[in-house]
Amino acid sequence: MVHGDGPTVGEAIARHPGIDMVSFTGSTGAGVQVAKLAADSVKRVAQELGGKSANVILEGADITKAVTNGVTAMMMNTGQSCNAPSRMLVPAARYDEAVKIAKAVAEQVVVGDPKSESTTMGPLANKKQFEKVNRLIARGVEEGATVVVGGTGRPDGLKKGYYVRPTIFANVNNAMTIAREEIFGPVLVMIPYKTEDEAVRIANDTPYGLSGYVFGGTVADARRVAARLRTGMVHLNGAQIDFNAPFGGYRQSGNGREWGAKGLEEFLETKAVLGYSEA
């Protein structure tokens, strides 16, 4: 099993003649390279790759609870989670209210030294990621999205280190770069929708399909929309991960599963023994 964004280790394993299967966790680009190399020796490849997961907040949901949960989940791990709820879809009639709530929650995030007890968000992994996140934030501004909180550069008071500002964009449409590309940083885009059908269409309008989130007034409402999302996982009303449930996605988010029985099955091969029993 290989974890990481760089394909170097994955390439070595993919080429190794004594290995029959590769399990790779990392970026979609690196996963593609590993799969191509593994094809030469017909290795099986299970991949857990990138994502651009939608968080659909339904009309009947508790808007304060739903938005607070969504922003908090997005900022976790400095946004460096493949299953992060990075696109928040909100009913148009409640959009302005949701943006105000999201801004207030993001402003409570304390960015700084991870060793400090007051810190709630640390730095990004490296310089390359720091530059990428800032570049995509700038692209969002260039394409007409509104920075509600955050923006490019380090937070006030931090002169060095790969720290970025928790950033929320409003006035976003799903065609913008910040709504299409996996940023892998603490950047949330908020997209309004008018009908449930439109919300589902926007949620599914992505090359990825790792995770999805639905917040409804009832579990039944959330289940109804969850059934229509083209993702390998869906979290209902703030439900957390479950290590007994399979973790993985569709399309460019990968083709394998981790965790639970399905995760173990990825490493098994089937053997048929004929004539095993006495006639």
Side-chain angles (χ1 to χ4, degrees):
M1 181 177 289
V2 184
H3 291 261
D5 187 55
T8 306
V9 177
E11 288 176 358
I13 292 175
R15 289 192 178 105
H16 197 290
I19 295 176
D20 297 322
M21 187 257 191
V22 181
S23 176
F24 179 81
T25 300
S27 70
T28 298
V32 169
Q33 292 301 112
V34 169
K36 287 179 177 178
L37 292 164
D40 289 338
S41 52
V42 200
K43 289 180 174 64
R44 292 183 299 125
V45 180
Q47 301 171 322
E48 194 278 287
L49 307 175
K52 194 68 179 178
S53 302
N55 181 8
V56 183
I57 298 177
L58 300 179
E59 188 69 46
D62 180 327
I63 195 72
T64 300
K65 184 177 181 180
V67 173
T68 299
N69 178 273
V71 173
T72 302
M74 184 63 236
M75 302 305 166
M76 188 178 299
N77 201 35
T78 320
Q80 300 169 119
S81 302
C82 51
N83 61 337
S86 52
R87 293 183 296 149
M88 183 179 287
L89 277 54
V90 182
R94 309 197 72 179
Y95 187 73
D96 291 344
E97 179 185 2
V99 169
K100 289 180 182 178
I101 296 168
K103 180 177 186 292
V105 175
E107 288 177 337
Q108 296 304 307
V109 176
V110 179
V111 184
D113 188 339
K115 292 178 289 186
S116 171
E117 291 187 4
S118 63
T119 296
T120 59
M121 193 177 88
L124 291 169
N126 52 46
K127 180 180 180 181
K128 179 181 178 181
Q129 191 60 26
F130 175 80
E131 292 174 346
K132 175 188 175 182
V133 171
N134 276 282
R135 183 174 66 253
L136 286 170
I137 291 174
R139 177 71 64 83
V141 174
E142 291 169 5
E143 294 183 359
T146 302
V147 176
V148 175
V149 64
T152 57
R154 294 182 178 87
D156 293 341
L158 295 172
K159 304 298 183 182
K160 61 180 182 178
Y162 303 128
Y163 297 98
V164 294
R165 301 179 181 184
T167 299
I168 294 177
F169 278 104
N171 300 319
V172 178
N173 64 66
N174 206 51
M176 291 180 174
T177 303
I178 54 174
R180 306 300 296 176
E181 293 192 19
E182 182 183 35
I183 298 174
F184 218 62
V187 181
L188 174 67
V189 302
M190 301 184 70
I191 303 172
Y193 69 86
K194 294 180 180 178
T195 67
E196 190 173 290
D197 286 344
E198 183 185 19
V200 171
R201 180 186 60 76
I202 294 171
N204 289 334
D205 179 18
T206 173
Y208 298 104
L210 182 56
S211 193
Y213 301 77
V214 183
F215 222 107
T218 66
V219 173
D221 288 339
R223 284 176 179 169
R224 183 183 66 251
V225 174
R228 302 176 65 189
L229 299 185
R230 287 286 300 152
T231 61
M233 305 173 284
V234 186
H235 298 256
L236 306 183
N237 290 351
Q240 300 299 305
I241 59 173
D242 183 341
F243 291 110
N244 293 309
F247 186 106
Y250 303 158
R251 301 192 295 275
Q252 291 186 27
S253 288
N255 54 12
R257 292 295 181 272
E258 299 175 354
W259 305 350
K262 289 292 184 181
L264 293 175
E265 288 172 5
E266 292 285 355
F267 294 89
L268 303 180
E269 289 191 293
T270 300
K271 177 188 289 186
V273 181
L274 310 179
Y276 185 81
S277 300
E278 294 287 348

